[in-house]
Each structure stands twice: as structure tokens, then as C-alpha cells.
Amino acid sequence: MFQVALTGLLTGLALIVAVGAQNAFLLRQAIRGEHVLPIVLTCLLSDVVAITAGVAGLGVVLERWPAVLPVAQVLGGVYLIAFGVHAAMRAWRPAGLEAGEGTSLTVGRAVLLTLALTWLNPHFYLDAVLMLGTVANSFGGDRWWFLAGTLVASVLWFFGLGYGARLLRGLFARPNAWRVLDSGIAVLMGALGVGLIAH
């Protein structure tokens, strides 16, 4: 039970921590001190909806067609390995995350932009719905513990980035920090991918 939740936590963090438009926008707004809580809550609620839908939806599909699980596990394993390879390539040529300058936004525009950066990103569906849903359902009845772990990862990441951004600005600006982080993600994703295929 604890091990499954921990796996969910680590998998969730590995998928969410990658440098992307959503994280860059949150970091930028957090450093500027603009609408941090609404943006963090929008990111978090998006994860809750998408990941829960993935775990529950795939659970229903697998109850009706259990033969889908082995296929989904192989495809999911290949995706995780590819994700790990991509992280390894980022570690090979790391880049700092720039918060950038820009004009102020109203809270409404900030939330709408966060929703667009989240829900219009195809990788969001792959990671949150399909990937995490597949991995979670490989644990059978313990899939809800995996879900709990991934949601804790989302809470830790979004609140940590949103409210720790000023402290982390110097760290995230250094390519070597991303090299270490992406190297760890590459190893974890590769191991999870192989484990999912061999399950």
C-alpha cells in the first residue's frame, strides 16, 4: 500500500517536473508575485480531474476488457522508456529555465492562460490520463493508492514551485541543476518502463 503510493508519488513528480510551458508560466508569475494561488489551484485541479479520470476510466475499460491491460502496459512501458530517453537528452544539453519579463495579467487572464497551457497540451492527456491511468491500473485494487501518491506529487510540486520560486530562481537558472534532475528522471522513467513491460 505505502509502496504503491510512493511509486505514484515518484512517477507523478517525474512526469510533472519536466520544463514545459505550464511550469515556465507558473514560475514566471510566482517570481513576479502575481496571482500565484489561483494559478497553483488551476494547475492542481486540472491534475486531479485528469488523473482521476484516467485511473477510473481505464479501470472501467479494464474490468470489461481485461485483455486490454497487457497491451496498455507494453505501450505504456515503451512511452515511459521514450520519456526517459528524452529526459536523458535534456540532461545531455541542459538549459536554464527563464522566468522572463512581461506585462501584468488580470487574475482572469492568468487563470485562462493556465487552463490553455494545460488542457491544450497533448502531452497533458498522454501523461495524466493515459500514462498514469495505465500504470495505476497495473496495481489492480491498489490503484487508488497510486492515484493518491500522484496527487500528493501535484500538490508538492505546484505549491512548492509557486511559493518557493523566489528561492529556486537561481537554482532553476543553472543548466547543471536541470542536468541532475533530468538524469534522475531518465533513470526512474526507464526503470518504470521496463518494469511495466515485464509486469
Side-chain angles (χ1 to χ4, degrees):
M1 194 177 339
F2 174 76
Q3 188 175 358
V4 174
L6 181 61
T7 302
L9 175 70
L10 294 175
T11 307
L13 283 173
L15 288 172
I16 203 172
V17 166
V19 180
Q22 183 197 59
N23 285 337
F25 178 67
L26 173 56
L27 182 63
R28 172 187 176 273
Q29 293 301 112
I31 289 172
R32 292 163 61 89
E34 289 182 354
H35 317 305
V36 176
L37 184 60
I39 294 171
V40 166
L41 291 177
T42 301
C43 293
L44 184 57
L45 288 174
S46 294
D47 269 14
V48 169
V49 169
I51 298 170
T52 303
V55 173
L58 279 176
V60 170
V61 169
L62 294 174
E63 282 174 12
R64 293 185 181 177
W65 300 288
V68 170
L69 182 59
V71 176
Q73 283 180 289
V74 170
L75 293 175
V78 170
Y79 177 77
L80 283 175
I81 292 169
F83 192 96
V85 169
H86 186 63
M89 290 169 64
R90 286 197 313 266
W92 186 257
R93 292 187 175 181
L97 183 57
E98 296 292 332
E101 297 299 324
T103 57
S104 295
L105 298 171
T106 64
V107 65
R109 279 199 70 186
V111 168
L112 285 175
L113 188 51
T114 304
L115 287 170
L117 291 172
T118 303
W119 291 94
L120 297 180
N121 179 3
H123 291 286
F124 176 68
Y125 298 94
L126 280 173
D127 294 346
V129 179
L130 188 60
M131 190 65 264
L132 291 175
T134 300
V135 177
N137 279 282
S138 72
F139 292 105
D142 286 336
R143 65 184 177 272
W144 303 112
W145 288 104
F146 182 91
L147 171 65
T150 63
L151 297 182
V152 169
S154 293
V155 170
L156 291 175
W157 175 252
F158 289 125
F159 275 95
L161 184 59
Y163 290 98
R166 291 185 186 275
L167 301 173
L168 299 174
R169 182 178 191 174
L171 176 66
F172 282 162
R174 286 190 218 133
N176 279 341
W178 288 104
R179 173 173 280 142
V180 171
L181 184 62
D182 281 326
S183 296
I185 289 172
V187 171
L188 177 63
M189 291 292 98
L192 281 171
V194 171
L196 197 58
I197 292 171
H199 198 312

